[in-house]
Amino acid sequence: MNRFLSRRHLSAWVLGVACALGMVGVAQAADEAADMFIKRVSSDILDAIKADKSIKNGEVNKIITLVDQRVMPNVNFLRMTASAVGPGWRQATPEQQKRLQEEFKILLVRTYSGALEQVSDQAIVVKPLRAADDDKEVLVRTEVRGKGDPIQLDYRVEKAAGGGWKVYNMNVMGIWLVENYKTQFAQEINAKGVEGLIASLAERNKTNARASK
């Protein structure tokens, strides 16, 4: 994420990833509108970050626990990972696909956990939704407001089979998370294959883990 130099931009990205990966497990009404879904979970996770000093200080194990226990069900992480990996996903075995999801999740958590201390006075403002009642995929546009100019933070969500919504991509200041990693992952796969990508992700995660100690 070297394209984000501003601390404010990074904290907004962190907030978005936190919302996408760690939404607080509140029961979701089947008929809840997509914008209300994002507003609720964004407010919940922002409050959770502010209230828990260990999360705000970037304690990775605590963040991973939050991610694992409180909500992967609210994110279509399979779709998110498959889209980021691109055509290589179809080449991967079921075991490789499982490992890709695990390493990608850890990469996201470890990459952004150190910037959680920047999340302080931000608030989320959801913009008017442009969607029909029967749309199955919706773009929810929001702004992160605090000190300085508002920061664009948008979500792509899909209607889940059992009702409600799931996040499958997010965008900060014009950069989509999935597309950002897709280019990197394609280069790894072209050079070393799917197994090479997994090894590269695992090594990056180990490096990030050592750096956080």
Side-chain angles (χ1 to χ4, degrees):
M1 291 305 302
N2 55 5
R3 295 178 66 181
F4 286 95
L5 302 179
S6 162
R7 285 190 173 186
R8 290 184 60 249
H9 291 177
L10 182 56
S11 65
W13 186 266
V14 167
L15 178 58
V17 171
C19 292
L21 295 182
M23 296 172 185
V24 177
V26 179
Q28 188 180 147
D31 59 349
E32 183 178 33
D35 54 344
M36 292 299 99
F37 164 66
I38 291 296
K39 182 177 181 179
R40 173 173 58 79
V41 296
S42 297
S43 297
D44 285 344
I45 196 62
L46 187 57
D47 290 344
I49 292 171
K50 291 178 179 179
D52 193 321
K53 290 184 178 180
S54 61
I55 293 177
K56 190 173 182 294
N57 291 335
E59 186 176 315
V60 174
N61 289 337
K62 187 68 175 288
I63 297 169
I64 290 176
T65 298
L66 175 67
V67 168
D68 285 337
Q69 294 183 352
R70 298 178 103 183
V71 219
M72 284 302 275
N74 288 325
V75 179
N76 188 340
F77 200 64
L78 172 61
R79 176 175 179 176
M80 186 180 289
T81 308
S83 297
V85 174
W89 181 259
R90 294 190 295 273
Q91 304 169 17
T93 66
E95 176 60 25
Q96 287 175 323
Q97 291 178 350
K98 179 181 178 182
R99 290 165 62 196
L100 283 167
Q101 289 186 75
E102 291 171 351
E103 296 295 346
F104 188 35
K105 182 185 71 173
I106 294 171
L107 175 66
L108 291 175
V109 171
R110 286 198 175 277
T111 297
Y112 305 115
S113 60
L116 283 173
E117 62 186 27
Q118 301 298 327
V119 178
S120 57
D121 63 342
Q122 289 92 338
I124 298 291
V125 176
V126 180
K127 296 183 178 180
L129 185 65
R130 299 174 182 175
D133 292 340
D134 58 350
D135 283 348
K136 302 301 182 184
E137 296 190 0
V138 175
L139 173 64
V140 180
R141 298 160 57 246
T142 78
E143 285 183 346
V144 179
R145 295 183 182 177
K147 295 179 180 178
D149 296 331
I151 296 174
Q152 172 192 350
L153 177 57
D154 301 334
Y155 298 88
R156 291 198 183 279
V157 300
E158 64 178 10
K159 196 73 172 179
W165 299 92
K166 289 189 177 184
V167 174
Y168 67 89
N169 204 352
M170 54 165 289
N171 164 30
V172 176
M173 298 294 288
I175 299 177
W176 287 96
L177 182 148
V178 167
E179 284 69 24
N180 182 69
Y181 282 102
K182 191 171 184 176
T183 300
Q184 300 175 36
F185 291 174
Q187 293 173 346
E188 293 282 352
I189 292 174
N190 289 338
K192 303 176 182 178
V194 172
E195 198 63 34
L197 172 59
I198 295 172
S200 176
L201 289 172
E203 183 57 36
R204 287 170 68 180
N205 288 333
K206 289 179 182 177
T207 299
N208 288 340
R210 289 193 294 267
S212 66
K213 291 181 179 179

